[in-house]
Amino acid sequence: MEKEEFKVYNSMTQQKEVFVPKIPGKVGMYVCGVTSYDLSHLGHARAAVCFDILYRYLKHLGYEVTYIRNFTDVDDKIIRRANESGEDPLKLSNRFCEEYLKDMDALLCLRPTYQPRVSEHMEQIKDMIKQIINNDCAYVVDGDVFFSVNKSPNYGQLSGQKLEHNRAGERVAVDSRKRNPADFALWKAAKPGEPSWDSPWGPGRPGWHIECSAMSAHYLTFKFDIHGGGIDLIFPHHENEIAQSSAACQESNIAYWMHNGHVTNNNEKMSKSLGNFFTIREIIARYHPLALRHFLISAHYRSPLNYTISQLESASDAVYYVYQTLQDLHDAISPYQEEISKVGINAGIAKDGKKVGVSPDAEKCFDCVNSLQREFQAKMSDDLNTASILTGTFQEALKIINGSLKKIKRKNKDFKMSDQIRTDLTAKGIALMDVGAETVWRPCVPSGQDQETSEVNGEQKMPPFEQQKLKPGIELMVSKP
């Protein structure tokens, strides 16, 4: 199959571009991670899954990928939360880093190559600040170090923000000591009761933006391929990263900036500050993590994604349908698996190259699978269009497989086995119903577990999917990170 050119949308140029790595066959990718002071919400899950899809697809294309995703474990919010709980800030942050990793494993996100933490990279951060000061792009005031945006002639190139419209910083108040209100902190002087590190400017800790510039340069150099994160990070975080990295190294360059869209709740951005968020842990307690992953890729990664119960219900139904089909297919071909492995049939062609006699239904299935492979390559190479893949040929392939399996079961007329299958599926939360000439399925409360239902937004829900033991064939088909 001829390979499609892989195109990605570059936030810097605001257009799709053919992806060409700086070093042939290798990709360097840095994605901004979470500030670890609480359990992560659906917005964090979306960013993680979006860039996990990118990571997997780059590997699928044969690239050797170095994927960096950081933890911000030194921050005002962490310190505030630690003071409230009487806990050491770094210990609190470490605890939530580990909780985040559990959530990522549940969502089947592959672990990045490196997951650096701010607290472990103070020397790299201080070295970069020294270089920026030496290049006359930062100044020291009372132990604080501020970046001078006036020394950055291209400031605003990513966000389109004009300098006069800039804020002092998302996480800090306006400071009259600044030469320009838009200047932002690279280093903050120590305050009583806060963690601090020694530096040439006195004890203190890093500002928010410098950490990503220092850690990305440490692991990937100043010139690498992809920098990603949520769309809300474009300004001021990523804009400030570009400015300070260029100030530290004139040759600093990132080829592609990629950003995922917001998750909204009733069309309002979901965030902790607005108090309208759901944690990943809350959702996967009621739905299988793969249902959540399906929901998160059901819209294009750059588009807003609106959270509703019905959307998650639909995603859950879709996952049930896929795995029911896989299980039925597994059961149907198991008796012939040895013979198939000997012949090695692929699209009607045996291992020795001879055409194998197949039924018209099988021919149709082969054609659909080949079409699905072509569509997958085309859609994924068009800026990771997962939403389009989940419909169209993918659904058609599932229908054809189910239709073929149904014909085999009328043919066999094994009513005893049919009844047993219905009983087994009901015990696992899948109800089969005869509607006219067709058999359809719906999720149901697993038999014997009627007392375990829980209520979500006034609706009765079945127990967590992970508590329902899948049939052995299905468990083998779920890829692990």
Side-chain angles (χ1 to χ4, degrees):
M1 184 188 303
E2 186 177 341
K3 283 191 175 182
E4 299 272 348
E5 287 185 325
F6 181 31
K7 295 181 180 179
V8 298
Y9 183 87
N10 190 343
S11 300
M12 179 66 78
T13 61
Q14 298 184 23
Q15 63 183 9
K16 291 180 186 177
E17 299 176 359
V18 175
F19 178 73
V20 181
K22 293 181 180 294
I23 301 174
K26 297 186 177 182
V27 176
M29 179 170 77
Y30 185 95
V31 176
C32 291
V34 296
T35 301
S36 50
Y37 68 98
D38 203 346
L39 293 175
S40 296
H41 58 64
L42 289 189
H44 300 135
R46 190 181 194 197
V49 169
C50 286
F51 288 102
D52 179 65
I53 295 289
L54 174 60
Y55 182 35
R56 287 174 179 270
Y57 192 60
L58 288 168
K59 289 164 69 73
H60 169 76
L61 293 177
Y63 290 110
E64 179 185 330
V65 186
T66 302
Y67 175 21
I68 316 298
R69 185 182 64 209
N70 75 298
F71 282 112
T72 297
D73 64 344
V74 179
D75 182 83
D76 291 341
K77 293 180 179 179
I78 296 170
I79 294 169
R80 193 179 308 122
R81 179 63 60 86
N83 288 338
E84 291 170 357
S85 64
E87 193 171 353
D88 176 78
L90 288 178
K91 287 184 178 179
L92 178 141
S93 182
N94 180 67
R95 179 160 55 85
F96 284 114
C97 287
E98 295 304 315
E99 295 298 334
Y100 175 81
L101 292 176
K102 291 177 185 176
D103 288 342
M104 294 303 101
D105 288 347
L107 290 172
L108 295 187
C109 290
L110 299 176
R111 295 280 178 103
T113 314
Y114 301 103
Q115 300 188 85
R117 304 185 186 193
V118 176
S119 62
E120 298 170 351
H121 292 78
M122 286 297 168
E123 294 308 312
Q124 289 85 359
I125 291 171
K126 289 186 285 186
D127 286 345
M128 180 171 280
I129 294 174
K130 289 178 192 174
Q131 190 61 47
I132 295 172
I133 293 174
N134 291 341
N135 291 339
D136 195 31
C137 292
Y139 54 95
V140 183
V141 182
D142 302 328
D144 290 321
V145 182
F146 295 106
F147 182 86
S148 179
V149 295
N150 291 332
K151 299 295 179 72
S152 181
N154 296 320
Y155 193 87
Q157 60 184 312
L158 177 65
S159 63
Q161 292 274 358
K162 294 184 179 179
L163 190 57
E164 57 267 26
H165 296 158
N166 193 7
R167 303 189 299 273
E170 187 173 274
R171 303 189 178 194
V172 292
V174 175
D175 191 329
S176 60
R177 299 173 302 158
K178 296 178 182 179
R179 296 174 184 174
N180 184 317
D183 292 350
F184 55 90
L186 299 177
W187 187 262
K188 299 179 179 181
K191 295 179 182 177
E194 293 186 352
S196 63
W197 288 259
D198 290 333
S199 81
W201 321 286
R205 57 188 173 88
W208 175 32
H209 313 296
I210 191 67
E211 64 186 64
C212 288
S213 288
M215 290 190 286
S216 62
H218 175 68
Y219 288 95
L220 301 172
T221 77
F222 280 95
K223 295 190 285 186
F224 58 94
D225 301 298
I226 298 170
H227 195 314
I231 194 171
D232 55 319
L233 296 179
I234 290 179
F235 185 84
H237 186 52
H238 288 166
E239 194 69 73
N240 289 351
E241 274 193 63
I242 294 171
Q244 63 200 7
S245 293
S246 298
C249 177
Q250 199 170 20
E251 297 180 353
S252 174
N253 177 264
I254 295 166
Y256 306 91
W257 287 87
M258 298 179 69
H259 297 90
N260 64 275
H262 294 305
V263 177
T264 59
N265 187 359
N266 293 324
N267 298 312
E268 184 177 46
K269 178 193 170 186
M270 186 178 290
S271 70
K272 290 180 179 176
S273 59
L274 295 174
N276 65 346
F277 69 95
F278 292 92
T279 66
I280 299 170
R281 203 66 57 85
E282 287 173 328
I283 299 300
I284 64 177
R286 295 174 172 85
Y287 295 91
H288 193 283
L290 285 180
L292 175 54
R293 187 178 174 101
H294 189 285
F295 163 69
L296 293 170
I297 65 173
S298 63
H300 191 276
Y301 78 91
R302 288 189 285 113
S303 302
L305 178 63
N306 195 42
Y307 166 83
T308 64
I309 288 291
S310 61
Q311 288 273 58
L312 273 172
E313 290 286 351
S314 296
S316 184
D317 286 353
V319 171
Y320 268 109
Y321 181 51
V322 170
Y323 281 97
Q324 177 194 344
T325 302
L326 290 174
Q327 183 63 65
D328 289 346
L329 184 60
H330 178 270
D331 292 344
I333 67 174
S334 288
Y336 315 102
Q337 196 64 52
E338 186 177 348
E339 193 64 30
I340 292 173
S341 63
K342 288 179 181 177
V343 180
I345 300 173
N346 180 22
I349 307 297
K351 285 181 179 178
D352 59 7
K354 295 180 181 178
K355 188 171 179 64
V356 178
V358 294
S359 69
D361 283 340
E363 287 279 8
K364 186 178 180 181
C365 193
F366 285 138
D367 290 342
C368 189
V369 169
N370 288 333
S371 177
L372 177 58
Q373 288 178 328
R374 291 192 296 271
E375 183 180 88
F376 173 82
Q377 194 75 25
K379 298 296 185 182
M380 287 296 288
S381 291
D382 182 20
D383 196 30
L384 306 175
N385 195 350
T386 57
S388 184
I389 292 172
L390 293 179
T391 58
T393 307
F394 179 62
Q395 293 299 321
E396 185 63 26
L398 292 172
K399 289 178 182 177
I400 289 174
I401 292 171
N402 274 311
S404 300
L405 292 171
K406 189 179 293 184
K407 288 180 181 179
I408 293 172
K409 293 176 183 177
R410 285 174 186 161
K411 182 179 179 180
N412 294 337
K413 294 183 179 180
D414 190 339
F415 298 115
K416 185 177 180 181
M417 179 178 288
S418 176
D419 290 340
Q420 184 60 49
I421 289 173
R422 288 174 184 268
T423 301
D424 291 346
L425 290 174
T426 300
K428 292 168 175 59
I430 300 174
L432 298 184
M433 296 172 284
D434 294 320
V435 180
E438 294 186 351
T439 301
V440 298
W441 70 274
R442 290 288 184 272
C444 68
V445 176
S447 58
Q449 297 185 24
D450 301 74
Q451 303 304 315
E452 297 183 22
T453 57
S454 58
E455 191 169 297
V456 181
N457 289 359
E459 300 179 27
Q460 290 296 315
K461 300 293 171 193
M462 50 200 284
F465 192 87
E466 63 267 30
Q467 291 179 7
Q468 304 165 30
K469 296 297 183 182
L470 300 176
K471 295 178 80 172
I474 292 182
E475 292 175 330
L476 296 174
M477 298 171 189
V478 180
S479 61
K480 300 296 182 183

